[in-house]
Amino acid sequence: MNDLEMPGKKITIKDIAQLAGVSIGTVDRVIHNRGEVSGKTKAKILKITKALNYQPDVLASTLASKKNVKFAIIMPAADSESTFWKSPNIGIEKALSELEYFGLKITKYLFSITDKHSFLSEAEKAMAEIPDLILIAPSFHKEAMEVAEICDEKQIPYIFFNSNLPDTNQICYVGQDALQSGMVAAKLMDYGIKNDSEVLIVSLLSLLKNNNHILKRKQGFIKYFESKKDRNIKLICLDIDSLSVGDVYNELREAFKKNPSINGIFVTNSRVFHVARFIESEKICNINLIGFDLTEENIPYLEKEIIKFLLNQKPVEQAYRAIITAFNKIVLRREVPKEILLPIDIVTKENLMYYE
Amino acid sequence: MNDLEMPGKKITIKDIAQLAGVSIGTVDRVIHNRGEVSGKTKAKILKITKALNYQPDVLASTLASKKNVKFAIIMPAADSESTFWKSPNIGIEKALSELEYFGLKITKYLFSITDKHSFLSEAEKAMAEIPDLILIAPSFHKEAMEVAEICDEKQIPYIFFNSNLPDTNQICYVGQDALQSGMVAAKLMDYGIKNDSEVLIVSLLSLLKNNNHILKRKQGFIKYFESKKDRNIKLICLDIDSLSVGDVYNELREAFKKNPSINGIFVTNSRVFHVARFIESEKICNINLIGFDLTEENIPYLEKEIIKFLLNQKPVEQAYRAIITAFNKIVLRREVPKEILLPIDIVTKENLMYYE
DNA sequence: CTGAAAGCGCTTACAG
DNA sequence: CTGAAAGCGCTTACAG
């Protein structure tokens, strides 16, 4: 503790002004680096703020400056095929309800998960607003890279959530470690099947290949079993590009014909309910089915125990944490971590109710 | 929307004062129910605040009233036998860092988990401070009931966390559904063992019988298997009152002798590492061991996969959420739910890193 | 480059 | 019972 420091009282700009022999206006100028201050007084004031460990009062600050903070959020719209993208909205609302006092505004820009161009056009709209920060779910790798570059040029800071892009200047990534989530799925599979079983790895709608998030899950799953030399589990990969019921069923039927001792199926994304539907209608027994995301489509099959486990990406928390992180960075000017990896929740019929 | 309402502008007490033809001081009096206002003006002001849907500015309010908010938190001290109670401190710090702007102070009162009297004496100290709210981990059922009663008398509101007490006037309970967590453990056990297996249910240090939290876990576990008529799993209960290595080993050895086809062990609390140590030193294979809590003692055995699954009570989040709830109630005067049931996290070697 | 003053929305004595 | 004024800690023009 410095000898200048008075333990009891809270340090204000008034105290600093007094000690430096200047007005509070001048103190404010150096604290916010607004220039127009002589080097000498600046140094003096800086020294005092350091010595007293001055912490600005955020309440007073936001009250006085009626300035609003504006974030933009670019993410997919929830489509009829998967309701996954409904969830982040809850996280946005929650963050907003906590931070509304600070005048935070958030504008959503929703693109179509099947249309790269809509991603780009929404991103352009978002950047045109010149928000204080942009939150991006970068579903399209190449296009998101472009957007990141433009943000760099325009000096708009950005945070990625749900999936990440390497080699960009994002403030932070908030989401799941995809490779590790594949490992978790594999562990659960391993735990529940006998030796000498066959396991199917299904990638549905692989046109999302662009998104390496999903690819990494598969890699993680395979990696786990590669390390289990003592177990004899055969992995079979099946990519299905169509989502029509007929195509999916045909592909699955064929796989079962070719590999009669399939005991487990791992679906690398939230489309696992397609496989569940197949298993139900074909009345196949003793299959350990594991997939991702607590969507409206998947939950009924988890409840019926046709899906054994769903891995939860915490979409609500992803959005929430991304916003809180943005707020810490922009408003509170705090340091924030480069990466926030959220837990990989293992969800089964019995603990589902607490994650919904 | 009312016709008095101006959509753009934020409603302040100034607006209300103007519309009511009174001073802002009077408006403040009715908003905070401080009396000294005639019924007529009070009614008029109330009507206007309703009509305009006036929301006080919490920032300005806490800035102007330099009043501090004071919470007390009564919980067990972390002992050498289990480090579980270290975790809530992290949650307390986190909540504090978010709410320090609002002048929140928290005083901790730590009792010994093996001494009812220390619980009572700490509770007395806490109540003597007359905090705005008390957060209580009610480990001792009867004693906590007494404390709740005194709080009622003294009109100090209280919140329970970690475990709950029925029939008290707590503002809220934040924690896990114990019965359901037993069900989750059973599901995991069921998934990983063959038919005709024997499963041991171990209650260690059952002097905590007072705490029905642990009893309910056991009930949940048993309840799950009762509903699984198609499975032939024999459950064997084993209560061990001592924590000395010798006693624990002897009891376990005997159980194994009597029931040679034990395939799984469920330990109803965080002392599961005692059983793990036994299994390791006796070199027993193919045991599915499941227990509770990511303590320093348990984690190494989860990593070695001697413990297959740990159910996480989220002790960090319990404390955090309890404080945030208290803050919402006391400072923001919001309605808060009577019960916040946190997810029952299933933790295994592969997703451990994200929960630590 | 620097200071004095008004104001953000609310609270708190104080005077009447 | 009611109002006028000072103040919380900071920001923002404005004047010099």
Side-chain angles (χ1 to χ4, degrees):
Chain A
M1 198 169 65
N2 193 289
D3 52 5
L4 275 169
E5 209 167 323
M6 298 166 283
K9 206 178 145 274
K10 175 176 182 178
I11 309 299
T12 69
I13 47 169
K14 222 164 141 187
D15 300 322
I16 294 168
Q18 208 160 32
L19 286 164
V22 296
S23 77
I24 59 169
T26 304
V27 174
D28 188 67
R29 279 181 200 100
V30 350
I31 286 171
H32 293 100
N33 237 316
R34 294 201 263 108
E36 303 185 36
V37 183
S38 78
K40 212 180 94 194
T41 42
K42 184 174 171 178
K44 200 201 289 181
I45 290 168
L46 242 28
K47 195 181 147 199
I48 295 172
T49 57
K50 248 71 181 178
L52 297 191
N53 185 27
Y54 167 72
Q55 300 294 352
D57 183 318
V58 190
L59 260 56
S61 162
T62 59
L63 179 62
S65 87
K66 292 150 292 175
K67 208 192 305 159
N68 282 339
V69 193
K70 219 169 48 184
F71 294 163
I73 184 162
I74 308 173
M75 64 180 203
D79 64 348
S80 57
E81 180 52 42
S82 170
T83 52
F84 177 80
W85 289 100
K86 274 188 185 177
S87 305
N89 291 302
I90 300 169
I92 295 171
E93 288 313 313
K94 191 180 166 219
L96 229 30
S97 82
E98 286 176 16
L99 302 177
E100 60 187 341
Y101 313 121
F102 295 92
L104 174 63
K105 307 274 176 215
I106 298 180
T107 319
K108 295 179 201 172
Y109 297 88
L110 305 179
F111 60 88
S112 161
I113 191 75
T114 57
D115 178 9
K116 305 172 181 204
H117 301 100
S118 73
F119 173 79
L120 281 175
S121 69
E122 289 301 318
E124 258 160 43
K125 274 193 245 166
M127 291 186 289
E129 302 270 0
I130 317 179
D132 297 287
L133 186 144
I134 306 187
L135 304 140
I136 308 175
S139 304
F140 301 108
H141 191 286
K142 185 166 146 278
E143 287 70 17
M145 291 294 285
E146 286 170 29
V147 170
E149 242 171 71
I150 304 175
C151 282
D152 286 340
E153 269 170 39
K154 298 201 176 189
Q155 308 214 38
I156 304 174
Y158 49 95
I159 285 178
F160 291 134
F161 70 103
N162 189 258
S163 63
N164 198 8
L165 295 185
D167 309 319
T168 52
N169 299 311
Q170 73 273 44
I171 300 294
C172 179
Y173 163 62
V174 181
Q176 205 166 65
D177 181 336
L179 191 90
Q180 197 63 28
S181 72
M183 305 264 294
V184 174
K187 164 64 163 271
L188 292 170
M189 187 64 80
D190 189 27
Y191 179 68
I193 58 178
K194 294 176 307 228
N195 224 354
D196 307 316
S197 297
E198 292 177 322
V199 171
L200 204 58
I201 304 174
V202 178
S203 297
L204 271 165
L205 194 62
S206 40
L207 63 96
L208 272 177
K209 268 171 197 154
N210 207 343
N211 182 338
N212 59 16
H213 205 59
I214 286 166
L215 208 66
K216 279 201 173 162
R217 290 173 176 168
K218 187 169 161 180
Q219 287 169 3
F221 192 87
I222 294 169
K223 188 179 161 197
Y224 174 94
F225 279 105
E226 278 171 355
S227 74
K228 290 275 160 174
K229 307 283 186 202
D230 54 320
R231 294 278 277 166
N232 179 33
I233 306 292
K234 187 180 166 201
L235 303 182
I236 302 142
C237 292
L238 176 63
D239 286 20
I240 304 179
D241 274 316
S242 162
L243 282 180
S244 92
V245 175
D247 294 344
V248 172
Y249 277 33
N250 283 336
E251 298 262 19
L252 287 171
R253 248 182 232 122
E254 209 166 313
F256 269 93
K257 227 172 272 168
K258 275 201 282 191
N259 311 283
S261 46
I262 288 177
N263 236 312
I265 303 179
F266 172 54
V267 183
T268 57
N269 63 19
S270 64
R271 265 76 177 180
V272 55
F273 66 94
H274 278 108
V275 178
R277 202 195 284 146
F278 170 79
I279 289 176
E280 186 176 42
S281 73
E282 305 273 305
K283 299 200 174 64
I284 301 170
C285 290
N286 295 320
I287 294 287
N288 287 317
L289 178 58
I290 297 174
F292 284 86
D293 299 328
L294 305 177
T295 61
E296 292 170 18
E297 296 80 17
N298 289 339
I299 284 175
Y301 293 105
L302 189 69
E303 282 169 341
K304 289 191 239 174
E305 302 194 74
I306 292 172
I307 298 175
K308 280 289 185 319
F309 295 102
L310 285 173
L311 301 188
N312 181 22
Q313 292 195 74
K314 292 185 167 298
V316 175
E317 217 170 64
Q318 282 178 1
Y320 173 78
R321 292 288 296 272
I323 294 167
I324 297 291
T325 304
F327 183 79
N328 278 330
K329 175 73 182 177
I330 301 297
V331 180
L332 306 184
R333 294 197 190 86
R334 290 190 184 169
E335 296 231 339
V336 298
K338 191 82 186 160
E339 202 173 51
I340 297 179
L341 294 177
L342 297 182
I344 300 164
D345 289 332
I346 300 171
V347 185
T348 182
K349 183 188 173 191
E350 283 73 17
N351 67 344
L352 167 66
M353 59 229 270
Y354 308 108
Y355 289 105
E356 278 183 287
Chain B
M1 197 168 69
N2 194 288
D3 52 5
L4 275 170
E5 209 168 321
M6 299 166 283
K9 206 176 145 273
K10 176 177 180 177
I11 309 298
T12 70
I13 47 168
K14 223 163 139 187
D15 301 321
I16 294 168
Q18 210 159 30
L19 285 166
V22 297
S23 76
I24 59 168
T26 304
V27 174
D28 189 68
R29 278 182 201 100
V30 352
I31 286 172
H32 292 100
N33 237 317
R34 293 201 264 107
E36 303 187 37
V37 182
S38 77
K40 213 180 95 191
T41 42
K42 185 174 172 181
K44 199 202 289 183
I45 290 169
L46 241 29
K47 194 182 148 197
I48 296 172
T49 56
K50 248 71 179 178
L52 297 190
N53 185 26
Y54 167 72
Q55 300 293 352
D57 184 318
V58 189
L59 260 57
S61 162
T62 60
L63 179 60
S65 86
K66 291 150 291 175
K67 208 192 305 161
N68 282 340
V69 193
K70 220 168 51 185
F71 294 164
I73 183 162
I74 307 173
M75 63 181 205
D79 65 347
S80 58
E81 180 52 42
S82 170
T83 53
F84 177 80
W85 288 101
K86 273 189 185 175
S87 305
N89 291 302
I90 301 169
I92 295 171
E93 288 313 314
K94 192 180 165 217
L96 229 29
S97 82
E98 287 176 16
L99 302 177
E100 62 188 338
Y101 313 122
F102 295 92
L104 175 63
K105 308 273 175 216
I106 298 180
T107 318
K108 295 179 201 171
Y109 297 88
L110 305 179
F111 60 89
S112 161
I113 191 73
T114 56
D115 178 9
K116 304 172 182 203
H117 301 100
S118 73
F119 172 79
L120 281 175
S121 70
E122 289 301 319
E124 258 161 42
K125 274 194 244 164
M127 290 185 289
E129 302 271 359
I130 315 179
D132 297 287
L133 186 145
I134 306 187
L135 302 140
I136 308 174
S139 304
F140 301 108
H141 191 286
K142 185 166 146 278
E143 287 71 16
M145 290 293 286
E146 286 171 28
V147 170
E149 240 171 72
I150 304 175
C151 282
D152 287 339
E153 269 171 39
K154 299 202 175 187
Q155 308 214 36
I156 304 174
Y158 49 94
I159 285 179
F160 292 134
F161 69 104
N162 189 258
S163 63
N164 198 9
L165 294 187
D167 310 317
T168 52
N169 298 310
Q170 75 272 44
I171 300 293
C172 179
Y173 163 62
V174 181
Q176 206 166 65
D177 180 337
L179 190 90
Q180 196 63 26
S181 72
M183 304 264 294
V184 174
K187 163 66 163 268
L188 292 169
M189 186 64 80
D190 189 27
Y191 179 68
I193 57 177
K194 292 177 306 229
N195 224 353
D196 307 316
S197 297
E198 291 177 322
V199 170
L200 205 58
I201 303 173
V202 178
S203 298
L204 272 164
L205 195 59
S206 41
L207 64 94
L208 272 176
K209 268 171 196 152
N210 207 343
N211 183 339
N212 60 14
H213 205 59
I214 287 167
L215 207 65
K216 279 201 175 164
R217 289 173 177 168
K218 188 169 161 182
Q219 287 169 2
F221 193 86
I222 294 169
K223 187 179 162 197
Y224 174 94
F225 279 105
E226 278 171 354
S227 74
K228 290 275 161 175
K229 307 284 184 201
D230 54 320
R231 294 276 280 167
N232 179 32
I233 306 293
K234 188 181 166 200
L235 304 182
I236 301 142
C237 293
L238 177 63
D239 287 19
I240 304 179
D241 274 316
S242 161
L243 283 180
S244 94
V245 175
D247 293 343
V248 173
Y249 278 33
N250 283 337
E251 298 262 18
L252 287 171
R253 246 182 233 124
E254 207 165 313
F256 269 93
K257 224 172 274 170
K258 275 201 281 188
N259 312 283
S261 45
I262 288 177
N263 236 310
I265 303 179
F266 171 54
V267 183
T268 56
N269 64 18
S270 65
R271 266 75 178 180
V272 54
F273 66 94
H274 278 108
V275 178
R277 201 196 283 147
F278 170 79
I279 288 177
E280 187 177 41
S281 74
E282 304 273 303
K283 299 201 174 66
I284 302 171
C285 290
N286 295 320
I287 294 287
N288 287 317
L289 179 57
I290 297 174
F292 283 88
D293 298 329
L294 305 176
T295 61
E296 292 170 18
E297 297 80 16
N298 289 339
I299 284 175
Y301 292 106
L302 189 69
E303 282 169 342
K304 289 191 237 172
E305 302 192 75
I306 292 171
I307 297 176
K308 280 289 185 320
F309 295 102
L310 284 173
L311 300 189
N312 182 22
Q313 291 196 75
K314 294 184 166 298
V316 175
E317 218 170 64
Q318 281 178 2
Y320 173 77
R321 292 288 295 273
I323 295 167
I324 297 291
T325 304
F327 183 79
N328 278 330
K329 175 74 183 177
I330 301 297
V331 180
L332 306 185
R333 294 196 190 88
R334 290 189 184 170
E335 295 231 341
V336 298
K338 191 82 187 162
E339 200 173 53
I340 296 179
L341 293 177
L342 297 181
I344 299 163
D345 289 331
I346 299 171
V347 186
T348 181
K349 183 189 174 190
E350 284 73 18
N351 67 344
L352 167 66
M353 58 228 272
Y354 308 108
Y355 288 105
E356 277 182 292

